[in-house]
Amino acid sequence: RFPLSFATSSVILILVSIFLASAIEAEAKKKVLLYSRTEGFRHYSIPTAIKIIRSLGKNNKPGWQSFATEDASKFEKKGWLEQFDAIVFVSVSGKALSHEGAENMRKYIQKGGGYMGIHEACDALHDYSWYGRLVGGFFDYHPEICHAKLRIEDHSHPSVAHLGSTWEVYDEMYNFLSNPTDVGKKLVLSADDNSYPDPVNSIAYRARLQGSPHPIAWYKEGHQLNHNPHRKLGGGLDPTRAERKAGQAGSGGDGRSFYTALGHTNKIWHQKDFQEHVLGALQWVLESPSLRSNDPTKQVGSKYTGVANNATNNPSDPTTASSSKS
């Protein structure tokens, strides 16, 4: 036996480094944008939510790289959103985007980009009917935070496959201005209205607006922004005359969307059942065949570049990747 030469050892180290780098890059193939700008109510749980979503992407397979920002100007850069497989609105509130930024997001969705809305994401971008159809409905109100029983409506979906027939939570029970199923959303969670107090409006009144069962979480694949002009939706979901005239009413969108009304407190973000709910939902969104990372012929989503998807950890850039910290 002869000792390895310095040159041979160097070659082996280089090959091992390339192998390990390739493995890391393969794990980092998916890219998720976590957007949490608030121009209305701001949830104290937002930092916790971002930390948990980053951790879920880092510690599960299939995983994702998380990029977090509250810089609305990022959305205004032409083509910038197209690198991401999904945009996650983490309790975004109020206007949150400039008109140019909102237009770029609409175009991203129309090209097949993924979307996930969490908690107050339904209380944002009220000026855009297409966003209301994307998220599934705009926020109406909620009673005081409470203990409530949720029913599982579709056990086949990975966001709730880990749950039994019901789920007890301590959270805000959101009510909506319209019925998400009217825009093709499929429910995975509903609230048992008899399991918690709501002194504001009757169950019958709420059902007239948002349907019955009481929607809490839902999903949709394809036709994200479509609207039937012969059917009145209400709740801010119908395109305005100005939107139609400007060609900004929104249509199409082959990708996947998911929304959950849960996520108000830090405590629920630390609960395993809720983390599994978020994990299953986002993994499902990222498996969409409309994404470039799943089909190189598509228009949006991350591409395997061999350089960890050009991720940046520049502290001067408000968008930071989770590959270096969680």
Side-chain angles (χ1 to χ4, degrees), residues 39-73:
E39 294 193 4
F41 184 84
R42 184 170 182 85
H43 280 78
Y44 65 88
S45 60
I46 286 175
T48 300
I50 290 173
K51 182 177 180 179
I52 294 297
I53 296 171
R54 283 177 159 176
S55 177
L56 291 173
K58 183 178 180 181
N59 298 322
N60 289 277
K61 294 182 180 181
W64 59 83
Q65 273 190 305
S66 299
F67 295 74
T69 189
E70 295 193 355
D71 184 354
S73 69

PDB file of all heavy atoms in Angstrom, residues 39-73:
ATOM      1  N   GLU A  39     -49.818  46.991   5.905  1.00  0.00           N
ATOM      2  CA  GLU A  39     -50.237  48.391   5.867  1.00  0.00           C
ATOM      3  C   GLU A  39     -51.616  48.504   6.507  1.00  0.00           C
ATOM      4  O   GLU A  39     -52.448  49.317   6.107  1.00  0.00           O
ATOM      5  CB  GLU A  39     -50.212  48.918   4.443  1.00  0.00           C
ATOM      6  CG  GLU A  39     -48.796  48.974   3.873  1.00  0.00           C
ATOM      7  CD  GLU A  39     -48.694  49.775   2.587  1.00  0.00           C
ATOM      8  OE1 GLU A  39     -49.711  50.362   2.171  1.00  0.00           O
ATOM      9  OE2 GLU A  39     -47.585  49.820   2.023  1.00  0.00           O
ATOM     10  N   GLY A  40     -51.842  47.628   7.460  1.00  0.00           N
ATOM     11  CA  GLY A  40     -53.054  47.625   8.262  1.00  0.00           C
ATOM     12  C   GLY A  40     -52.659  47.029   9.599  1.00  0.00           C
ATOM     13  O   GLY A  40     -51.611  47.349  10.146  1.00  0.00           O
ATOM     14  N   PHE A  41     -53.474  46.119  10.102  1.00  0.00           N
ATOM     15  CA  PHE A  41     -53.118  45.435  11.344  1.00  0.00           C
ATOM     16  C   PHE A  41     -51.856  44.596  11.125  1.00  0.00           C
ATOM     17  O   PHE A  41     -51.681  44.002  10.059  1.00  0.00           O
ATOM     18  CB  PHE A  41     -54.271  44.531  11.794  1.00  0.00           C
ATOM     19  CG  PHE A  41     -54.022  43.852  13.114  1.00  0.00           C
ATOM     20  CD1 PHE A  41     -54.287  44.513  14.300  1.00  0.00           C
ATOM     21  CD2 PHE A  41     -53.508  42.566  13.169  1.00  0.00           C
ATOM     22  CE1 PHE A  41     -54.057  43.901  15.526  1.00  0.00           C
ATOM     23  CE2 PHE A  41     -53.276  41.942  14.389  1.00  0.00           C
ATOM     24  CZ  PHE A  41     -53.550  42.618  15.564  1.00  0.00           C
ATOM     25  N   ARG A  42     -50.985  44.566  12.123  1.00  0.00           N
ATOM     26  CA  ARG A  42     -49.777  43.749  12.028  1.00  0.00           C
ATOM     27  C   ARG A  42     -49.779  42.685  13.116  1.00  0.00           C
ATOM     28  O   ARG A  42     -49.876  43.004  14.307  1.00  0.00           O
ATOM     29  CB  ARG A  42     -48.506  44.593  12.147  1.00  0.00           C
ATOM     30  CG  ARG A  42     -47.244  43.739  11.957  1.00  0.00           C
ATOM     31  CD  ARG A  42     -45.994  44.577  11.820  1.00  0.00           C
ATOM     32  NE  ARG A  42     -44.827  43.736  11.601  1.00  0.00           N
ATOM     33  CZ  ARG A  42     -44.433  43.289  10.407  1.00  0.00           C
ATOM     34  NH1 ARG A  42     -45.107  43.618   9.322  1.00  0.00           N
ATOM     35  NH2 ARG A  42     -43.364  42.513  10.285  1.00  0.00           N
ATOM     36  N   HIS A  43     -49.658  41.434  12.708  1.00  0.00           N
ATOM     37  CA  HIS A  43     -49.652  40.318  13.649  1.00  0.00           C
ATOM     38  C   HIS A  43     -48.272  40.150  14.282  1.00  0.00           C
ATOM     39  O   HIS A  43     -47.264  40.107  13.564  1.00  0.00           O
ATOM     40  CB  HIS A  43     -50.059  39.025  12.948  1.00  0.00           C
ATOM     41  CG  HIS A  43     -51.538  38.887  12.769  1.00  0.00           C
ATOM     42  ND1 HIS A  43     -52.226  39.542  11.785  1.00  0.00           N
ATOM     43  CD2 HIS A  43     -52.454  38.188  13.488  1.00  0.00           C
ATOM     44  CE1 HIS A  43     -53.515  39.240  11.884  1.00  0.00           C
ATOM     45  NE2 HIS A  43     -53.680  38.426  12.907  1.00  0.00           N
ATOM     46  N   TYR A  44     -48.257  40.031  15.585  1.00  0.00           N
ATOM     47  CA  TYR A  44     -46.993  39.812  16.296  1.00  0.00           C
ATOM     48  C   TYR A  44     -46.386  38.454  15.974  1.00  0.00           C
ATOM     49  O   TYR A  44     -45.196  38.213  16.223  1.00  0.00           O
ATOM     50  CB  TYR A  44     -47.203  39.938  17.801  1.00  0.00           C
ATOM     51  CG  TYR A  44     -48.113  38.888  18.407  1.00  0.00           C
ATOM     52  CD1 TYR A  44     -47.606  37.667  18.841  1.00  0.00           C
ATOM     53  CD2 TYR A  44     -49.480  39.121  18.544  1.00  0.00           C
ATOM     54  CE1 TYR A  44     -48.430  36.694  19.382  1.00  0.00           C
ATOM     55  CE2 TYR A  44     -50.313  38.160  19.087  1.00  0.00           C
ATOM     56  CZ  TYR A  44     -49.793  36.943  19.507  1.00  0.00           C
ATOM     57  OH  TYR A  44     -50.619  35.995  20.040  1.00  0.00           O
ATOM     58  N   SER A  45     -47.177  37.543  15.420  1.00  0.00           N
ATOM     59  CA  SER A  45     -46.682  36.195  15.118  1.00  0.00           C
ATOM     60  C   SER A  45     -45.941  36.102  13.789  1.00  0.00           C
ATOM     61  O   SER A  45     -45.433  35.030  13.438  1.00  0.00           O
ATOM     62  CB  SER A  45     -47.849  35.200  15.108  1.00  0.00           C
ATOM     63  OG  SER A  45     -48.808  35.562  14.124  1.00  0.00           O
ATOM     64  N   ILE A  46     -45.847  37.196  13.027  1.00  0.00           N
ATOM     65  CA  ILE A  46     -45.209  37.137  11.708  1.00  0.00           C
ATOM     66  C   ILE A  46     -43.762  36.636  11.771  1.00  0.00           C
ATOM     67  O   ILE A  46     -43.393  35.738  11.001  1.00  0.00           O
ATOM     68  CB  ILE A  46     -45.308  38.501  10.994  1.00  0.00           C
ATOM     69  CG1 ILE A  46     -46.747  38.726  10.508  1.00  0.00           C
ATOM     70  CG2 ILE A  46     -44.339  38.586   9.813  1.00  0.00           C
ATOM     71  CD1 ILE A  46     -46.987  40.098   9.898  1.00  0.00           C
ATOM     72  N   PRO A  47     -42.901  37.164  12.655  1.00  0.00           N
ATOM     73  CA  PRO A  47     -41.529  36.627  12.713  1.00  0.00           C
ATOM     74  C   PRO A  47     -41.485  35.137  13.038  1.00  0.00           C
ATOM     75  O   PRO A  47     -40.669  34.401  12.473  1.00  0.00           O
ATOM     76  CB  PRO A  47     -40.874  37.462  13.819  1.00  0.00           C
ATOM     77  CG  PRO A  47     -41.663  38.730  13.867  1.00  0.00           C
ATOM     78  CD  PRO A  47     -43.068  38.315  13.576  1.00  0.00           C
ATOM     79  N   THR A  48     -42.359  34.694  13.930  1.00  0.00           N
ATOM     80  CA  THR A  48     -42.419  33.265  14.264  1.00  0.00           C
ATOM     81  C   THR A  48     -42.846  32.460  13.049  1.00  0.00           C
ATOM     82  O   THR A  48     -42.278  31.403  12.753  1.00  0.00           O
ATOM     83  CB  THR A  48     -43.401  33.023  15.426  1.00  0.00           C
ATOM     84  OG1 THR A  48     -42.957  33.750  16.569  1.00  0.00           O
ATOM     85  CG2 THR A  48     -43.486  31.548  15.764  1.00  0.00           C
ATOM     86  N   ALA A  49     -43.855  32.949  12.341  1.00  0.00           N
ATOM     87  CA  ALA A  49     -44.345  32.249  11.157  1.00  0.00           C
ATOM     88  C   ALA A  49     -43.246  32.082  10.121  1.00  0.00           C
ATOM     89  O   ALA A  49     -43.060  30.995   9.555  1.00  0.00           O
ATOM     90  CB  ALA A  49     -45.521  33.019  10.560  1.00  0.00           C
ATOM     91  N   ILE A  50     -42.497  33.150   9.871  1.00  0.00           N
ATOM     92  CA  ILE A  50     -41.415  33.085   8.878  1.00  0.00           C
ATOM     93  C   ILE A  50     -40.345  32.096   9.323  1.00  0.00           C
ATOM     94  O   ILE A  50     -39.847  31.290   8.517  1.00  0.00           O
ATOM     95  CB  ILE A  50     -40.833  34.486   8.648  1.00  0.00           C
ATOM     96  CG1 ILE A  50     -41.857  35.349   7.907  1.00  0.00           C
ATOM     97  CG2 ILE A  50     -39.525  34.410   7.855  1.00  0.00           C
ATOM     98  CD1 ILE A  50     -41.462  36.798   7.773  1.00  0.00           C
ATOM     99  N   LYS A  51     -39.992  32.130  10.589  1.00  0.00           N
ATOM    100  CA  LYS A  51     -38.985  31.200  11.108  1.00  0.00           C
ATOM    101  C   LYS A  51     -39.442  29.754  10.941  1.00  0.00           C
ATOM    102  O   LYS A  51     -38.666  28.882  10.525  1.00  0.00           O
ATOM    103  CB  LYS A  51     -38.710  31.505  12.568  1.00  0.00           C
ATOM    104  CG  LYS A  51     -37.630  30.622  13.184  1.00  0.00           C
ATOM    105  CD  LYS A  51     -37.354  31.018  14.626  1.00  0.00           C
ATOM    106  CE  LYS A  51     -36.268  30.131  15.241  1.00  0.00           C
ATOM    107  NZ  LYS A  51     -35.976  30.514  16.648  1.00  0.00           N
ATOM    108  N   ILE A  52     -40.707  29.477  11.234  1.00  0.00           N
ATOM    109  CA  ILE A  52     -41.225  28.112  11.135  1.00  0.00           C
ATOM    110  C   ILE A  52     -41.271  27.651   9.680  1.00  0.00           C
ATOM    111  O   ILE A  52     -40.878  26.517   9.359  1.00  0.00           O
ATOM    112  CB  ILE A  52     -42.618  28.013  11.776  1.00  0.00           C
ATOM    113  CG1 ILE A  52     -42.550  28.261  13.288  1.00  0.00           C
ATOM    114  CG2 ILE A  52     -43.253  26.648  11.489  1.00  0.00           C
ATOM    115  CD1 ILE A  52     -41.742  27.260  14.066  1.00  0.00           C
ATOM    116  N   ILE A  53     -41.736  28.511   8.778  1.00  0.00           N
ATOM    117  CA  ILE A  53     -41.817  28.124   7.368  1.00  0.00           C
ATOM    118  C   ILE A  53     -40.425  27.849   6.812  1.00  0.00           C
ATOM    119  O   ILE A  53     -40.215  26.901   6.050  1.00  0.00           O
ATOM    120  CB  ILE A  53     -42.542  29.203   6.544  1.00  0.00           C
ATOM    121  CG1 ILE A  53     -43.998  29.343   7.012  1.00  0.00           C
ATOM    122  CG2 ILE A  53     -42.512  28.843   5.049  1.00  0.00           C
ATOM    123  CD1 ILE A  53     -44.724  30.524   6.398  1.00  0.00           C
ATOM    124  N   ARG A  54     -39.465  28.678   7.198  1.00  0.00           N
ATOM    125  CA  ARG A  54     -38.081  28.421   6.788  1.00  0.00           C
ATOM    126  C   ARG A  54     -37.599  27.073   7.294  1.00  0.00           C
ATOM    127  O   ARG A  54     -36.995  26.291   6.557  1.00  0.00           O
ATOM    128  CB  ARG A  54     -37.178  29.519   7.335  1.00  0.00           C
ATOM    129  CG  ARG A  54     -37.245  30.834   6.583  1.00  0.00           C
ATOM    130  CD  ARG A  54     -36.378  31.882   7.240  1.00  0.00           C
ATOM    131  NE  ARG A  54     -36.042  32.943   6.308  1.00  0.00           N
ATOM    132  CZ  ARG A  54     -35.363  34.034   6.635  1.00  0.00           C
ATOM    133  NH1 ARG A  54     -34.958  34.207   7.881  1.00  0.00           N
ATOM    134  NH2 ARG A  54     -35.087  34.950   5.728  1.00  0.00           N
ATOM    135  N   SER A  55     -37.886  26.792   8.550  1.00  0.00           N
ATOM    136  CA  SER A  55     -37.459  25.535   9.157  1.00  0.00           C
ATOM    137  C   SER A  55     -38.117  24.340   8.477  1.00  0.00           C
ATOM    138  O   SER A  55     -37.474  23.312   8.228  1.00  0.00           O
ATOM    139  CB  SER A  55     -37.797  25.549  10.657  1.00  0.00           C
ATOM    140  OG  SER A  55     -37.463  24.325  11.262  1.00  0.00           O
ATOM    141  N   LEU A  56     -39.388  24.458   8.149  1.00  0.00           N
ATOM    142  CA  LEU A  56     -40.089  23.373   7.466  1.00  0.00           C
ATOM    143  C   LEU A  56     -39.456  23.089   6.110  1.00  0.00           C
ATOM    144  O   LEU A  56     -39.298  21.930   5.707  1.00  0.00           O
ATOM    145  CB  LEU A  56     -41.567  23.730   7.291  1.00  0.00           C
ATOM    146  CG  LEU A  56     -42.420  23.791   8.562  1.00  0.00           C
ATOM    147  CD1 LEU A  56     -43.824  24.318   8.240  1.00  0.00           C
ATOM    148  CD2 LEU A  56     -42.512  22.417   9.228  1.00  0.00           C
ATOM    149  N   GLY A  57     -39.097  24.142   5.395  1.00  0.00           N
ATOM    150  CA  GLY A  57     -38.463  23.954   4.091  1.00  0.00           C
ATOM    151  C   GLY A  57     -37.085  23.345   4.189  1.00  0.00           C
ATOM    152  O   GLY A  57     -36.664  22.580   3.319  1.00  0.00           O
ATOM    153  N   LYS A  58     -36.381  23.682   5.260  1.00  0.00           N
ATOM    154  CA  LYS A  58     -35.006  23.207   5.440  1.00  0.00           C
ATOM    155  C   LYS A  58     -34.949  21.772   5.939  1.00  0.00           C
ATOM    156  O   LYS A  58     -34.033  21.012   5.580  1.00  0.00           O
ATOM    157  CB  LYS A  58     -34.298  24.135   6.429  1.00  0.00           C
ATOM    158  CG  LYS A  58     -32.832  23.823   6.668  1.00  0.00           C
ATOM    159  CD  LYS A  58     -32.223  24.842   7.625  1.00  0.00           C
ATOM    160  CE  LYS A  58     -30.757  24.572   7.886  1.00  0.00           C
ATOM    161  NZ  LYS A  58     -30.171  25.553   8.829  1.00  0.00           N
ATOM    162  N   ASN A  59     -35.909  21.370   6.751  1.00  0.00           N
ATOM    163  CA  ASN A  59     -35.828  20.093   7.466  1.00  0.00           C
ATOM    164  C   ASN A  59     -36.744  19.000   6.936  1.00  0.00           C
ATOM    165  O   ASN A  59     -36.866  17.944   7.559  1.00  0.00           O
ATOM    166  CB  ASN A  59     -36.126  20.325   8.950  1.00  0.00           C
ATOM    167  CG  ASN A  59     -35.117  21.254   9.598  1.00  0.00           C
ATOM    168  OD1 ASN A  59     -33.932  21.192   9.300  1.00  0.00           O
ATOM    169  ND2 ASN A  59     -35.577  22.127  10.476  1.00  0.00           N
ATOM    170  N   ASN A  60     -37.399  19.237   5.811  1.00  0.00           N
ATOM    171  CA  ASN A  60     -38.292  18.231   5.241  1.00  0.00           C
ATOM    172  C   ASN A  60     -37.973  17.996   3.779  1.00  0.00           C
ATOM    173  O   ASN A  60     -37.398  18.842   3.103  1.00  0.00           O
ATOM    174  CB  ASN A  60     -39.754  18.672   5.387  1.00  0.00           C
ATOM    175  CG  ASN A  60     -40.240  18.628   6.819  1.00  0.00           C
ATOM    176  OD1 ASN A  60     -40.648  17.588   7.324  1.00  0.00           O
ATOM    177  ND2 ASN A  60     -40.188  19.781   7.490  1.00  0.00           N
ATOM    178  N   LYS A  61     -38.350  16.833   3.300  1.00  0.00           N
ATOM    179  CA  LYS A  61     -38.201  16.491   1.889  1.00  0.00           C
ATOM    180  C   LYS A  61     -39.574  16.138   1.330  1.00  0.00           C
ATOM    181  O   LYS A  61     -40.292  15.336   1.927  1.00  0.00           O
ATOM    182  CB  LYS A  61     -37.245  15.309   1.721  1.00  0.00           C
ATOM    183  CG  LYS A  61     -35.810  15.631   2.135  1.00  0.00           C
ATOM    184  CD  LYS A  61     -34.908  14.426   1.894  1.00  0.00           C
ATOM    185  CE  LYS A  61     -33.461  14.729   2.306  1.00  0.00           C
ATOM    186  NZ  LYS A  61     -32.568  13.586   2.050  1.00  0.00           N
ATOM    187  N   PRO A  62     -39.937  16.685   0.160  1.00  0.00           N
ATOM    188  CA  PRO A  62     -39.195  17.728  -0.543  1.00  0.00           C
ATOM    189  C   PRO A  62     -39.265  19.054   0.207  1.00  0.00           C
ATOM    190  O   PRO A  62     -40.288  19.387   0.804  1.00  0.00           O
ATOM    191  CB  PRO A  62     -39.917  17.820  -1.886  1.00  0.00           C
ATOM    192  CG  PRO A  62     -41.307  17.341  -1.594  1.00  0.00           C
ATOM    193  CD  PRO A  62     -41.180  16.301  -0.542  1.00  0.00           C
ATOM    194  N   GLY A  63     -38.160  19.774   0.179  1.00  0.00           N
ATOM    195  CA  GLY A  63     -38.072  21.043   0.887  1.00  0.00           C
ATOM    196  C   GLY A  63     -38.017  22.212  -0.066  1.00  0.00           C
ATOM    197  O   GLY A  63     -38.314  22.092  -1.257  1.00  0.00           O
ATOM    198  N   TRP A  64     -37.624  23.351   0.450  1.00  0.00           N
ATOM    199  CA  TRP A  64     -37.537  24.557  -0.356  1.00  0.00           C
ATOM    200  C   TRP A  64     -36.601  25.557   0.315  1.00  0.00           C
ATOM    201  O   TRP A  64     -36.327  25.471   1.504  1.00  0.00           O
ATOM    202  CB  TRP A  64     -38.914  25.191  -0.543  1.00  0.00           C
ATOM    203  CG  TRP A  64     -39.579  25.552   0.766  1.00  0.00           C
ATOM    204  CD1 TRP A  64     -39.385  26.678   1.518  1.00  0.00           C
ATOM    205  CD2 TRP A  64     -40.537  24.760   1.485  1.00  0.00           C
ATOM    206  NE1 TRP A  64     -40.155  26.646   2.651  1.00  0.00           N
ATOM    207  CE2 TRP A  64     -40.890  25.480   2.657  1.00  0.00           C
ATOM    208  CE3 TRP A  64     -41.147  23.521   1.247  1.00  0.00           C
ATOM    209  CZ2 TRP A  64     -41.799  24.992   3.581  1.00  0.00           C
ATOM    210  CZ3 TRP A  64     -42.067  23.037   2.176  1.00  0.00           C
ATOM    211  CH2 TRP A  64     -42.383  23.776   3.321  1.00  0.00           C
ATOM    212  N   GLN A  65     -36.119  26.501  -0.473  1.00  0.00           N
ATOM    213  CA  GLN A  65     -35.398  27.649   0.053  1.00  0.00           C
ATOM    214  C   GLN A  65     -36.407  28.762   0.293  1.00  0.00           C
ATOM    215  O   GLN A  65     -37.262  29.026  -0.556  1.00  0.00           O
ATOM    216  CB  GLN A  65     -34.354  28.150  -0.932  1.00  0.00           C
ATOM    217  CG  GLN A  65     -33.012  27.457  -0.832  1.00  0.00           C
ATOM    218  CD  GLN A  65     -31.979  28.188  -1.666  1.00  0.00           C
ATOM    219  OE1 GLN A  65     -32.192  28.391  -2.848  1.00  0.00           O
ATOM    220  NE2 GLN A  65     -30.878  28.579  -1.067  1.00  0.00           N
ATOM    221  N   SER A  66     -36.302  29.420   1.435  1.00  0.00           N
ATOM    222  CA  SER A  66     -37.217  30.512   1.765  1.00  0.00           C
ATOM    223  C   SER A  66     -36.518  31.855   1.639  1.00  0.00           C
ATOM    224  O   SER A  66     -35.413  32.032   2.148  1.00  0.00           O
ATOM    225  CB  SER A  66     -37.730  30.348   3.201  1.00  0.00           C
ATOM    226  OG  SER A  66     -38.446  29.148   3.353  1.00  0.00           O
ATOM    227  N   PHE A  67     -37.148  32.779   0.963  1.00  0.00           N
ATOM    228  CA  PHE A  67     -36.647  34.136   0.813  1.00  0.00           C
ATOM    229  C   PHE A  67     -37.696  35.073   1.404  1.00  0.00           C
ATOM    230  O   PHE A  67     -38.843  35.076   0.958  1.00  0.00           O
ATOM    231  CB  PHE A  67     -36.421  34.474  -0.669  1.00  0.00           C
ATOM    232  CG  PHE A  67     -35.346  33.652  -1.308  1.00  0.00           C
ATOM    233  CD1 PHE A  67     -35.560  32.311  -1.618  1.00  0.00           C
ATOM    234  CD2 PHE A  67     -34.107  34.209  -1.599  1.00  0.00           C
ATOM    235  CE1 PHE A  67     -34.559  31.541  -2.202  1.00  0.00           C
ATOM    236  CE2 PHE A  67     -33.109  33.437  -2.185  1.00  0.00           C
ATOM    237  CZ  PHE A  67     -33.335  32.108  -2.478  1.00  0.00           C
ATOM    238  N   ALA A  68     -37.341  35.840   2.412  1.00  0.00           N
ATOM    239  CA  ALA A  68     -38.288  36.694   3.120  1.00  0.00           C
ATOM    240  C   ALA A  68     -38.037  38.164   2.836  1.00  0.00           C
ATOM    241  O   ALA A  68     -36.887  38.615   2.820  1.00  0.00           O
ATOM    242  CB  ALA A  68     -38.214  36.435   4.619  1.00  0.00           C
ATOM    243  N   THR A  69     -39.105  38.917   2.605  1.00  0.00           N
ATOM    244  CA  THR A  69     -38.972  40.355   2.393  1.00  0.00           C
ATOM    245  C   THR A  69     -40.265  41.059   2.748  1.00  0.00           C
ATOM    246  O   THR A  69     -41.353  40.465   2.724  1.00  0.00           O
ATOM    247  CB  THR A  69     -38.592  40.682   0.935  1.00  0.00           C
ATOM    248  OG1 THR A  69     -38.264  42.069   0.832  1.00  0.00           O
ATOM    249  CG2 THR A  69     -39.721  40.361  -0.019  1.00  0.00           C
ATOM    250  N   GLU A  70     -40.134  42.351   3.077  1.00  0.00           N
ATOM    251  CA  GLU A  70     -41.281  43.239   3.209  1.00  0.00           C
ATOM    252  C   GLU A  70     -41.096  44.455   2.293  1.00  0.00           C
ATOM    253  O   GLU A  70     -41.791  45.458   2.442  1.00  0.00           O
ATOM    254  CB  GLU A  70     -41.458  43.671   4.668  1.00  0.00           C
ATOM    255  CG  GLU A  70     -41.808  42.507   5.580  1.00  0.00           C
ATOM    256  CD  GLU A  70     -42.301  42.938   6.948  1.00  0.00           C
ATOM    257  OE1 GLU A  70     -42.296  44.146   7.242  1.00  0.00           O
ATOM    258  OE2 GLU A  70     -42.709  42.050   7.725  1.00  0.00           O
ATOM    259  N   ASP A  71     -40.189  44.317   1.359  1.00  0.00           N
ATOM    260  CA  ASP A  71     -39.858  45.390   0.421  1.00  0.00           C
ATOM    261  C   ASP A  71     -40.769  45.289  -0.804  1.00  0.00           C
ATOM    262  O   ASP A  71     -40.559  44.449  -1.684  1.00  0.00           O
ATOM    263  CB  ASP A  71     -38.389  45.269   0.020  1.00  0.00           C
ATOM    264  CG  ASP A  71     -37.937  46.400  -0.890  1.00  0.00           C
ATOM    265  OD1 ASP A  71     -38.783  47.213  -1.309  1.00  0.00           O
ATOM    266  OD2 ASP A  71     -36.729  46.456  -1.189  1.00  0.00           O
ATOM    267  N   ALA A  72     -41.767  46.161  -0.863  1.00  0.00           N
ATOM    268  CA  ALA A  72     -42.733  46.117  -1.961  1.00  0.00           C
ATOM    269  C   ALA A  72     -42.096  46.425  -3.309  1.00  0.00           C
ATOM    270  O   ALA A  72     -42.604  45.991  -4.353  1.00  0.00           O
ATOM    271  CB  ALA A  72     -43.867  47.103  -1.687  1.00  0.00           C
ATOM    272  N   SER A  73     -40.979  47.165  -3.307  1.00  0.00           N
ATOM    273  CA  SER A  73     -40.340  47.530  -4.569  1.00  0.00           C
ATOM    274  C   SER A  73     -39.784  46.310  -5.299  1.00  0.00           C
ATOM    275  O   SER A  73     -39.566  46.362  -6.518  1.00  0.00           O
ATOM    276  CB  SER A  73     -39.231  48.557  -4.332  1.00  0.00           C
ATOM    277  OG  SER A  73     -38.138  47.982  -3.633  1.00  0.00           O
TER     278      SER A  73
END
